[in-house]
Structure formats: C-alpha cells, structure tokens
Amino acid sequence: GVLAGDPRNVTARCRLAWLLAPRPDAAGRVGEHLRVAAEEAGFVPAVLDARARSRIAAGQWDQAEQDIRRSLD
C-alpha cells in the first residue's frame, strides 16, 4: 500500500483515519494516523476533517464542530 512506500503520507493517513473512525476497535490506529498526519502537515483542513469524524464517532460533538469550523477558516 501507499504507507508501505511512504509512511508519512498525509493524504493516505487522513483517508485511513476517516475510514476507520466509526470502528471502536480502531481508535488507536485512528489516533496514530492523525498524529503522524498532524506532525507532517500541521492541522490542515484534511487532518481537521478526519479528526472531526473520529470525534463524531466518539460522541464528542462540540469538539467535532470546532474542528469542522476551523477547517473552513
């Protein structure tokens, strides 16, 4: 996969975090993908969007809304 050739690929990390976010058993992997993506790119809209989805899945509505609003600025 993409991460095998480029383990710091922000787009791939964000997409995987977004995809895995609703799965409670994947919370650790989601967090790791978001951490690496944020280290590489900062809190750009793609990272914030993926983090918002993970927060929605965790029932953290206010934090998710903050991430979405921040990603739109």
Side-chain angles (χ1 to χ4, degrees):
V2 172
L3 292 180
D6 182 7
R8 308 218 44 96
N9 185 298
V10 173
T11 300
R13 294 270 182 185
C14 288
R15 288 183 179 168
L16 284 168
W18 194 92
L19 180 67
L20 294 170
R23 295 181 45 188
D25 64 321
R29 289 189 290 164
V30 170
E32 178 65 9
H33 288 309
L34 292 173
R35 183 189 66 74
V36 172
E39 283 179 2
E40 286 297 307
F43 287 100
V44 295
V47 174
L48 291 167
D49 183 58
R51 187 171 75 174
R53 180 165 163 86
S54 71
R55 287 178 164 177
I56 289 168
Q60 299 171 347
W61 308 108
D62 292 339
Q63 296 94 326
E65 182 181 359
Q66 289 172 7
D67 281 345
I68 293 297
R69 288 184 185 281
R70 189 173 165 198
S71 76
L72 297 173
D73 285 341

